[in-house]
Structure formats: C-alpha cells, structure tokens
Amino acid sequence: MPLRRWARSSAAALALPVLLAYLFFVMSRSVDALEDNWLSATVLVSSAAVLAAGPVCAAAGAWEGARLARGGVDDAAAVRSRAAILAWSLLPVLGAALVALLGGLALAGVAMAGVAGLPDPLVLAVALLVITAWTLAGFAAGRHLHPLVGVPLLLVGTWLWLACPAALETFWVRHLTGNNLGFCCETHTVYDRRALYAQAVVAVSLAGAAYLAWSRRRGARPAWAGIAGLPLVAVAVAFPLVRDMGPEAQVPRTSGLACGRSDGVEVCVWREREKRLGTAALIAVPAARRLAAGTGLPAPRRVTEGPATGGASWRFAMPPGAKPDDVLFGLATGLLPAEPPVCGPGWSGADAHGPLSAWLALKAGAGQDAVERRTGPRSTGAARRALGLPAAEQVRWFRHNLDALRRCDVSPSEVTLP
Amino acid sequence: MRTWLRVHRAAQVCGALALTAGLVAAVGDVLVPVPGLAVEDLAGVPVALVAPLAASSVLVRGALAGAGGLEAAAVRPVLAYRTGMVAVVCALSLVMALVVTVPYAAAAARNLVGFTGLAALAALPRGRRRDAATAAPAAYLVAAMLLGRPGAGSWWDWPVEPSPHPATWVVPAACLGFGLAAPVLARLRPGRRPRRRG
C-alpha cells in the first residue's frame, strides 16, 4: 500500500491533532513551574504525553482493531504473521504518540534553555511503553467490541485509570499508572526508580496480555492462561516495589555535585547551578564561619547542597532566584533537626524552632526584615532578646533549646516573650 | 420480539446499565482531577458523571445493531421497538435516580440521557457504520471538561455539572428527543419511501 494512503487511512490521522492539542494544553499549565533541572522537564513531558496519548491511542487502537476484525483477518487465509498485521496498523498510532512526545520535548527544551543536562531516557522509554501497552489493549478490545462501544470505553477507561489514582489516598496505585502526576523533581531530589520499574512491569504485562488477546486463535486455551496470568505476575512483581512509597515518587539526590574550594572550605552545588558556585562560596563560607563562632560548633570543612552529616559538612540551598538572605536562612536552619522526635502529646519542643531559626539566621548575617518575614515577629523578638545576652549565655541558650528540639524530656527555655 | 431483543443486545444493555449504576453507587463521588481551560485550579469531575458514557455506548450499540436492510423491509414496527428500547432505558435510569439516595445519581441519569441523545443525533446522517456516533459523546464530554465552567449558570457543559438543576437538562433532553423523533418523523412524511441502506 502506498505510504501516504496507509498513514491517511489510519485513525492516527484523526488522533494526532487531538492528542497534540491536549498535550500542549496540559504542558502549558505547568511549564512555568519547572525546576532548574532536566528531570522535572522530562517527567512533565512524559506525564503529559501519557495522559494525552494513552487514552487517545487506546481509542484509536480500538478503532483499528475493529477495522481489522471487520476486514476478516481472523478468518482469512494468512499470508503474513499476526504480528506483522498488527504492526502495520499499530505503527501509525505509535508514530502519532512519538510525534506528540517529541513536540512536548521541544516545548520543554525552549523552557529549559540554559539549564545543563539532558532528558532522562528511562523516563521517556517507560512513557512510550505505557502508551504502547494501552494502544495494544485498544487493539485487543477492538477485536471483540464494536467501535460504538470500544472507542468510548477505551478513551474514558484509560483516562480514568491514569487520572483517578491521583485522587485516591492509597498512594501506591498512582505509581503504577505512568501518569507520574506531572511533577517530579526538585533539584535536590531524583525520581524513585522503583516507580519506573513498577510502571514498566505493569505496561509490559498489559501489552503481553493484550497481544495474546488480539492474536489468539479461536478456541485456543493456552492464550487465556497468559491473558489471565500476566496481570497477576505484574501485580506480584510491581506491588512490592511501590507498596511503601508516599504520595510523590521522590528520593533525595546523592550525586551530581560540582565543587570548588574557597578560603579552606569545600563548597558544592548541584551541577545545574555550577555557574553560581562562586557566588554561593562568597555567601555561604563567611556565614558558616560566623555561625560556627556564634554557636560554638566546630567550623565545617564542607558546605554543600547535597547530603550533609551536620558535623564537618553543612547544608545549604541556592535555587534560582534565591536572595542572599534566603541562602543564609537555609544554611542556618540546616543546623536544626530535620524531623521532630517521636514524643507523646504535650511535647513543647516545637516552640523552640522559630526562635532558634531566627537566632541562627541573624547570627549568620541575614537581614532582620527577611528573618521576621520567615519566622514571625514573636520568634524574632525572642531571638533578639537572646542576642542581647553575653556570648557564653547565648551558646548555653542555643544548646539547651537544640536539645529541646531533639529530645522529649527537655523543655524549651526563654523562647517566648514576656 | 424475542429475536429482536437478542439481535439488539437487550441483555447486554441491561448488564451495562446495572454495572454503571453499581459504579455510580460505589465510587461515584470520587473526584478525578482534570485540567480545565476555564478554571485556574485542577477541577474535579466525579466518576458518576463519566461512568454513564459506558452504559450509553452499549445502549446505542444495541439500538443500532441489526441488519438495516432487513429491518427497513420488516413488517413489525422495528423503529418503534428501537425508539422504545432507548426511551425505556433512559426512563429506567431516571426512575433509579429518583428512588435511590446516591450522590450524583440524578446528574448521572441526565448524562446517560445526554450521551445517548448525542449519539442518536450523530447517527442520523445515513451511513452504514455511523462513525460520528462513535466519537460524538466522548468528544463532547472532553470538550466540556476542558472548556466547561460548572456552576449555577451551566447549560451547555452539562456533562461536568454535578448538580441536576433544570437548565442542565435542556440540551440532553433536546438531543434525545430530536435524535429519537427525527427517524420517526422522516418515516411519517407522505410520499417518501425509506432509502435502502447497504
């Protein structure tokens, strides 16, 4: 068949404008909120592509599957394999999905101009796998269902499977769909690969079951075993991968730092922010020295945006648009415990968090107005009162209240204004 | 009549209606996040408003099933059977919505009427495969999700309006009424012979 006629006669010709419009619509709502890393752009593109192309390609698959069934491929003498017959109908639909995905990547590329890095190929590959699986599911449904039933059922059914789990409080379901909620990740986090592997397992099993359902000969019992068994295998493999995951598939990032030395201290930022390494060193190193002197803690040998132990290495953050006061506040509050201790009701240690944050930020050199905006006037007032104490008294006040934040049996001291 | 019901998949239509009713009762109030052009935040569409598309598609498939040529020459009033089947199912959904106290039941019944009416309208132009009826209800639903602004003044975006206030019934009822009446009226026009369909 001539290629143009082959492509024009496919449902993909109708599906492509629809899914392109929906993809650009979904992306346009979020492209301004992208983080300064390519992973967030890749996840947005893959999420929009799956949400737009998944249902539309499934519906197009149901249409094409019904066309093949109406054409009599089940009953006619075979001149080519079932896989070849399927491929000639499947390729235009998948081609439309690929065009949409590349269009989304082009849009993301414009938004990410100047950000170092490349799209994550694994995220994109899983997105294509999910779209292929749903398209095959459409072909399988189309073999048995009239388009009047198959097309709306696949369109809405696939969309519900992709969109609905985001509204459920059972978090693990959302990590199986491939939708990825449209957002991941901040620069200090990476996508949890377990979710990608689980999505790939579900997609492969769906594709396998759908292919068996489409290609099985009438009355062939072994095919039914595969059609029923593959989803069970997928659940058995994918569920343990995502069972313990929270609402978002983010885990802390541990690699990808760009480091330099300044005044004897190693300063590290994420490699996407390498251009700002000098500025970061100028702000963070003197502030770290001021904090060490003010709190009596040993001066750090390393200040970093990456993992920090809290002893010899301190943590800070320098996201795009951050002002020096924001960087100082982040460095100062990085000295406080990230999580409260597990105490019973009546624990009052949390009262110390605001005054300690304000005191540390002021010690680091942050402006009073910026500190008050972040911690509130009461916390800043308590911090100012503590700053009026002699240096040794201030260190004692800091250590006591730091203990109150870490332990259940210590109450905060002098953290409220009279 | 029994043969007609079997050819027009009456059992499947009943099954789909029961399944949809169960779905609306069980998870109808789950909100599915949908990005909309007309609203800033993600709007949530209850599953109950989307589920009737499944029952509607099975109903329309059942109503349009059968050999057109045979039915055009049939002695029995098959057009009345078909119109009656669609009307009875829609009426049944309305009765169920009135009887049960399930959230969004009335809106779900309205959407069943509306989707069926849209498909009936789309199937009016004579064509063997009725391609437009395949996509029209789903396309209208997606358009309403993207462009609709549910609220007190809703009328055209009834598929995403959770409350069944009277204005939202106008378009669905008109679609169903016209979609069912048009073939009957065409049959009643004097001097016009029904066209043979291939």
Side-chain angles (χ1 to χ4, degrees):
Chain A
M1 184 190 285
L3 283 180
R4 277 183 63 190
R5 194 185 303 164
W6 166 63
R8 208 171 50 214
S9 66
S10 168
L14 277 174
L16 180 60
V18 175
L19 67 90
L20 268 180
Y22 193 62
L23 179 130
F24 283 114
F25 165 63
V26 172
M27 280 193 68
S28 65
R29 295 177 63 90
S30 309
V31 82
D32 293 336
L34 282 175
E35 297 288 325
D36 60 330
N37 66 78
W38 263 96
L39 182 59
S40 68
T42 315
V43 170
L44 175 63
V45 171
S46 76
S47 174
V50 166
L51 197 59
V56 174
C57 288
W63 177 266
E64 290 294 319
R67 268 180 80 194
L68 288 176
R70 206 164 51 231
V73 295
D74 288 338
D75 308 316
V79 292
R80 57 175 74 98
S81 70
R82 303 280 291 178
I85 294 169
L86 178 67
W88 278 104
S89 289
L90 180 69
L91 282 176
V93 182
L94 291 186
L98 191 63
V99 167
L101 192 72
L102 293 176
L105 272 178
L107 188 64
V110 173
M112 299 300 286
V115 176
L118 287 170
D120 188 329
L122 187 62
V123 174
L124 295 176
V126 171
L128 275 178
L129 198 59
V130 171
I131 294 169
T132 307
W134 280 109
T135 312
L136 281 170
F139 272 87
R143 183 186 174 188
H144 303 285
L145 294 175
H146 190 277
L148 275 170
V149 179
V151 170
L153 218 56
L154 265 289
L155 185 75
V156 171
T158 309
W159 171 73
L160 280 178
W161 163 248
L162 293 172
C164 226
L168 301 179
E169 288 181 10
T170 313
F171 295 133
W172 60 266
V173 187
R174 64 178 65 180
H175 301 304
L176 297 179
T177 63
N179 179 12
N180 293 336
L181 309 176
F183 175 77
C184 180
C185 303
E186 293 170 76
T187 306
H188 63 272
T189 60
V190 289
Y191 200 88
D192 195 334
R193 297 276 151 169
R194 291 176 302 164
L196 284 179
Y197 299 146
Q199 289 163 18
V201 166
V202 171
V204 166
S205 70
L206 175 65
Y211 180 73
L212 285 176
W214 185 80
S215 63
R216 102 190 147 78
R217 300 273 171 207
R218 290 190 193 284
R221 282 169 190 262
W224 280 116
I227 294 164
L230 277 172
L232 293 177
V233 171
V235 170
V237 175
F239 175 66
L241 289 171
V242 295
R243 181 179 46 197
D244 302 326
M245 287 174 62
E248 289 173 355
Q250 295 187 35
V251 287
R253 183 178 176 183
T254 54
S255 63
L257 288 165
C259 297
R261 291 199 78 79
S262 170
D263 207 9
V265 178
E266 187 180 32
V267 182
C268 297
V269 293
W270 298 119
R271 63 167 173 257
E272 290 87 352
R273 300 169 183 167
E274 194 172 0
K275 287 179 191 164
R276 304 180 68 198
L277 181 59
T279 315
L282 280 176
I283 298 171
V285 172
R289 290 197 191 289
R290 286 195 292 270
L291 273 172
T295 57
L297 296 170
R301 288 198 294 274
R302 189 182 204 217
V303 285
T304 176
E305 286 197 296
T309 57
S313 60
W314 291 4
R315 190 162 188 185
F316 78 112
M318 196 154 178
K323 294 176 181 157
D325 281 338
D326 301 325
V327 179
L328 294 175
F329 196 85
L331 180 74
T333 51
L335 296 176
L336 301 178
E339 301 284 337
V342 183
C343 302
W347 179 64
S348 58
D351 296 343
H353 196 274
L356 272 190
S357 300
W359 183 81
L360 285 166
L362 290 170
K363 278 281 181 194
Q368 297 227 2
D369 291 345
V371 174
E372 191 166 323
R373 262 199 313 278
R374 283 172 168 268
T375 60
R378 295 181 68 82
S379 294
T380 314
R384 269 203 218 102
R385 193 181 59 186
L387 282 170
L389 299 171
E393 282 293 311
Q394 286 189 48
V395 171
R396 206 168 13 254
W397 177 84
F398 165 67
R399 288 190 175 161
H400 176 84
N401 287 312
L402 191 60
D403 279 346
L405 278 177
R406 285 177 177 152
R407 291 162 47 179
C408 301
D409 57 344
V410 179
S411 298
S413 161
E414 297 178 54
V415 291
T416 51
L417 291 173
Chain B
M1 183 70 186
R2 206 178 301 165
T3 307
W4 188 92
L5 286 173
R6 199 165 59 236
V7 167
H8 287 264
R9 299 156 194 266
Q12 290 176 20
V13 171
C14 291
L17 191 64
L19 200 68
T20 304
L23 205 62
V24 170
V27 291
D29 53 351
V30 173
L31 292 177
V32 189
V34 182
L37 276 174
V39 285
E40 273 302 308
D41 298 323
L42 284 182
V45 177
V47 169
L49 302 191
V50 181
L53 188 63
S56 160
S57 60
V58 176
L59 170 61
V60 173
R61 165 65 182 140
L64 298 181
L70 277 178
E71 293 200 350
V75 176
R76 297 190 182 213
V78 286
L79 185 59
Y81 289 175
R82 180 198 294 176
T83 309
M85 175 179 168
V86 174
V88 163
V89 171
C90 289
L92 200 60
S93 73
L94 291 176
V95 170
M96 284 163 71
L98 289 175
V99 171
V100 299
T101 53
V102 170
Y104 308 118
R110 177 201 61 208
N111 283 10
L112 176 70
V113 169
F115 293 142
T116 309
L118 281 170
L121 273 186
L124 281 181
R126 289 175 184 275
R128 192 161 61 90
R129 297 204 309 264
R130 286 146 171 151
D131 294 349
T134 304
Y140 195 92
L141 172 66
V142 172
M145 280 175 180
L146 294 182
L147 306 171
R149 199 184 273 271
S154 292
W155 60 274
W156 73 269
D157 49 357
W158 49 267
V160 289
E161 172 53 49
S163 85
H165 63 80
T168 59
W169 284 88
V170 174
V171 175
C175 286
L176 186 69
F178 191 70
L180 292 184
V184 179
L185 293 175
R187 186 69 68 89
L188 293 177
R189 274 161 67 178
R192 173 157 184 154
R193 292 171 57 198
R195 284 171 61 185
R196 293 184 64 185
R197 291 151 70 181

